[in-house]
Amino acid sequence: MNNDDYIRTFIAISLPDHVKRFLARLQTDLKNSGIKASYPKSDTLHLTLKFIGDVHKDKIPEIRKCMEKALEQINTPLVLSASGVGVFPSVKNVRVIWCGIQGQTNLLEQISDSLNRELERQIGLKREKKRFYPHLTLARSKQRINPKKMVGLIQQCGDRESGRFGVSKITLFKSRLTSQGALHKKILSI
């Protein structure tokens, strides 16, 4: 088996520049408040619908079909916005700091559920057990963050919003992990 035949992949929605700038400002505010974390570069930020992981290159046409099937029932571009700040799993144990998604999230959930179902059926990829929660990862923390400080930041950023943006396609990305962070390259869009 040749490892060059496998690629690390995920399906996501690309973000327009004004949303990336908004997210970069949120990241700057978090850094300036003293939050020690790993911050992805704002130009790599995206809205993940499904992380696939390592897959053989030969499976790309089947993944494409799954993506097409997931969008069959969606007749109109989605309208979304990035809004507020939250954390996973809790303010007492912050591992991920994220920005939420507002708008037609019910359609995002429908697309995610369909992707899960089709990818399981077509290529045997196990379904996510957790409910899909649309978010944009701003930072990952390995250090303890003071819960009161985090609650204050969540409240401070609660009413901040990126402005609306339309979504008319989903994209399959190739991801390569490097010491400088993840590098993403578009494979195809539907």
Side-chain angles (χ1 to χ4, degrees), residues 140-159:
R140 296 182 188 282
S141 176
K142 292 185 179 170
Q143 297 180 2
R144 184 180 182 279
I145 297 173
N146 180 306
K148 286 183 183 178
K149 180 183 216 172
M150 196 68 243
V151 168
L153 286 167
I154 291 169
Q155 290 171 342
Q156 176 186 329
C157 297
D159 61 351

Side-chain angles (χ1 to χ4, degrees), residues 19-105:
V19 176
K20 289 180 182 181
R21 287 190 299 271
F22 168 78
L23 297 171
R25 287 190 300 272
L26 284 177
Q27 288 177 317
T28 299
D29 291 348
L30 291 169
K31 290 174 191 175
N32 290 342
S33 73
I35 299 291
K36 303 257 189 278
S38 167
Y39 294 88
K41 295 176 185 170
S42 61
D43 62 337
T44 67
L45 295 175
H46 56 272
L47 175 54
T48 303
L49 295 170
K50 177 68 178 168
F51 178 76
I52 298 172
D54 292 332
V55 67
H56 196 279
K57 290 177 185 178
D58 291 348
K59 297 290 183 187
I60 300 300
E62 290 174 69
I63 294 171
R64 178 189 185 100
K65 287 178 188 168
C66 294
M67 292 168 66
E68 290 170 347
K69 185 87 170 155
L71 294 180
E72 274 181 0
Q73 303 301 317
I74 309 298
N75 302 335
T76 181
L78 292 113
V79 178
L80 305 171
S81 64
S83 176
V85 170
V87 297
F88 291 138
S90 71
V91 292
K92 291 183 179 178
N93 183 28
V94 176
R95 291 291 165 243
V96 173
I97 303 171
W98 49 260
C99 180
I101 296 293
Q102 301 295 316
Q104 296 172 301
T105 56

Side-chain angles (χ1 to χ4, degrees), residues 104-121:
Q104 296 172 301
T105 56
N106 58 325
L107 294 178
L108 279 179
E109 286 185 51
Q110 183 180 330
I111 293 168
S112 175
D113 288 345
S114 183
L115 283 171
N116 266 309
R117 193 172 41 257
E118 292 301 319
L119 288 165
E120 181 179 50
R121 199 168 62 78

